[in-house]
Structure formats: C-alpha cells, structure tokens
Amino acid sequence: MDKKRRIVVKVGTNVMTNKDNRILGPILKSLVRQIATLYEEDIMVVLVSSGSAIAGKEILGQISVEDASKRRQVYSSVGQPRMMRHYYSIFHDYGMRCAQVLATKRDFSPGIHRENMINCYESLLSEGIIPIANEDDAVSVTMSMFSDNDELASLVAELIGAEKLIILSDTDGLYTGHPEHDDSEKLNKVQIDENVEKYVQQSEKGEGEGRGGMESKIKIAKGTAAKNIDTYIANGKREDVILDIMAGKPVGTKFTT
Ligand code: GLU
C-alpha cells in the first residue's frame, strides 16, 4: 500500500499562457520543479492541467469548423498531445515519469468507470508516476462535461484521498474588493460558511479560453473543504507557490472547515 502523502494541483489556462495566448514553457518548468521537490519529500502530486484548447489553437490557428463545440473538440484533441509532450520532456529532465489520465464527468459516477479510474490512479501513484489529468474534451460535450477543470480537480482530490487541493489561477487569492485597489485586502483564510461570494468582482466571473471564474472557484473550494480537503486558491505565476503553501506560508486564500 502506498503510504505517500497526496495533493492535487490544478493549473488553469490563464496561468500557463501570456497575453498573446502562447504557452509559457518557464511556468510549466517551474510547476514540474516544485512537483519534483515534493516528490523528494514523499509527497505525490496529481496535476490537473488545462491548456489543451489553447495549445491546439496555437498549432492550428483559425479553422473552418463553425460550430463552437466541435471547434473546441478539434482544438483540444490536437492540443492535448502537445501539452503532454511539454510535460513528458520536462518531467524526463527531472528523472521523473508522468502519465495522462483523461476523464468525463460520467466516469466519476459510481460504477465500473469509477473503479477503473481509482485502480489507474492508485497504480500510477504506487509506481511513483505523476498522473496528469484533464477533461476528455474530445468526447466530453454537454451532459458529460465538468463545469470546469476546478470541478474535475475537486473530484480527483476526493477520489484519491488528497490532503490538499491547490487551485492555481492568475490572481493571488480572494480579495475583499477589486484585487488592484489599495483598499482591498487578500483573505488568507475562509471558513466554508462565510459569505465571501459578495466580494467577487464582475471582471472575475470568468472569461477567455479557460472556463470557470472566481465565483465557481469559491463554490468548488468550499465544497472540497467541506470534505476535509483544505483547498487553496493561489497565483500560479508566483515563484514556489506550491512549496510555500505546503510549508504553511500565508500564500493564496485557504478554504477550510
Ligand atoms: N479542459 C480544457 C483545456 O484543457 C480546460 C477547461 C477549463 O478551463 O476549466 O483546455
């Protein structure tokens, strides 16, 4: 039985791209470096990584498929192997192995798919292989879709019995007002019954290639924390963000019971 500690780290499209929507290699490298450091401390990370749609766009540019949902399928299925190529080669540089685990929401309902997924995660983790999860965007349309990868990350955290879920975004956490205003304060800790939704700004409600804005992050963070998995919303572009959270530094916003 694998005795290592486990956490789930979710990285959103907005963390790994610049404003021209190009994938930022140094960010992926920094994530992997932190995962490798934790590995040395016997902490296994499951990485939930978005980026397939944006990577597909980077490769294909404009395509003639008109329907938005079909376009997303094309971009994601072209981009997913590109993302895995990035990760494969960076993990390889650290002497580590990684694996791709794609899922749809249906796979988490009780039944054989859920059992298979548990077996897969447990076996990968016991071999010291870092699972990299994403939504199976090629087939995941409407009914079987997660609200966003934050939801997928929360379900994975529960499935593998993670002690923490770290949601990396492009903001330092939840603020009491507009993050750039001087009179706004970052909340270091939120109890799940606190009404913090009132702080969400119009501009944080979700936009761009990735789905899910701050409102949905709060909902997921509270729901996950209610299952005794401390959940953090933090800035994925901040140096050593994962290591600092694991060291107990007041980084990001922690949601807890
Ligand atoms: N699965 C999508 C991707 O890889 C992202 C979904 C989300 O942003 O939450 O691009």
Side-chain angles (χ1 to χ4, degrees):
M1 179 66 190
D2 172 36
K3 297 261 190 297
K4 286 187 177 171
R5 294 166 62 193
R6 295 144 176 218
I7 64 165
V8 172
V9 174
K10 183 257 171 176
V11 54
T13 300
N14 49 11
V15 175
M16 61 177 83
T17 50
N18 64 12
K19 53 180 182 343
D20 301 322
N21 286 336
R22 317 269 325 164
I23 306 275
L24 296 165
I27 294 281
L28 302 185
K29 282 187 188 145
S30 152
L31 289 172
V32 174
R33 175 182 54 77
Q34 295 177 72
I35 293 170
T37 303
L38 292 177
Y39 183 84
E40 291 301 314
E41 294 168 15
D42 258 10
I43 301 172
M44 289 296 285
V45 176
V46 172
L47 183 63
V48 176
S49 175
S50 304
S52 67
I54 206 81
K57 250 186 193 165
E58 200 175 274
I59 296 168
L60 296 176
Q62 287 308 318
I63 57 173
S64 57
V65 177
E66 276 172 25
D67 178 78
S69 157
K70 291 177 186 161
R71 219 169 36 235
R72 186 177 73 88
Q73 288 174 293
V74 171
Y75 281 135
S76 305
S77 40
V78 170
Q80 181 62 23
R82 154 76 65 106
M83 289 307 298
M84 287 311 298
R85 197 177 71 171
H86 280 305
Y87 284 124
Y88 178 88
S89 107
I90 307 169
F91 274 107
H92 187 262
D93 289 345
Y94 281 90
M96 292 178 72
R97 294 168 301 169
C98 64
Q100 167 184 279
V101 186
L102 302 179
T104 67
K105 194 163 177 173
R106 250 185 234 157
D107 299 329
F108 286 88
S109 308
I112 189 72
H113 280 203
R114 188 182 173 87
E115 295 301 316
N116 291 340
M117 217 163 30
I118 293 173
N119 291 339
C120 181
Y121 275 112
E122 290 303 328
S123 305
L124 289 169
L125 292 169
S126 73
E127 287 291 320
I129 299 169
I130 302 297
I132 302 178
N134 194 5
E135 180 162 13
D136 191 350
D137 293 302
V139 295
S140 182
V141 183
T142 58
M143 292 287 284
S144 58
M145 228 163 128
F146 301 100
S147 61
D148 48 47
N149 267 3
D150 302 329
E151 185 183 24
L152 167 62
S154 169
L155 289 166
V156 171
E158 201 188 341
L159 192 84
I160 63 156
E163 61 179 63
K164 287 182 184 18
L165 165 63
I166 300 176
I167 297 176
L168 296 178
S169 180
D170 58 356
T171 110
D172 288 334
L174 178 62
Y175 282 78
T176 55
H178 194 287
E180 275 156 30
H181 291 176
D182 287 345
D183 52 356
S184 310
E185 255 180 73
K186 178 173 78 74
L187 299 169
N188 288 336
K189 199 167 168 183
V190 168
Q191 232 85 39
I192 54 172
D193 51 3
E194 275 176 75
N195 170 20
V196 289
E197 288 77 359
K198 63 181 178 200
Y199 297 132
V200 177
Q201 308 294 304
Q202 199 54 42
S203 59
E204 295 176 303
K205 295 210 169 165
E207 53 191 26
E209 205 50 57
R211 307 198 297 271
M214 188 50 91
E215 213 162 32
S216 102
K217 281 190 175 32
I218 294 174
K219 188 165 162 238
I220 297 284
K222 282 186 168 181
T224 316
K227 291 172 186 144
N228 284 322
I229 303 169
D230 283 342
T231 300
Y232 299 75
I233 298 175
N235 194 334
K237 289 184 172 163
R238 186 183 186 283
E239 177 140 358
D240 286 342
V241 59
I242 306 171
L243 300 179
D244 285 349
I245 288 174
M246 293 309 286
K249 295 188 186 164
V251 174
T253 300
K254 174 182 182 179
F255 289 75
T256 188
T257 47

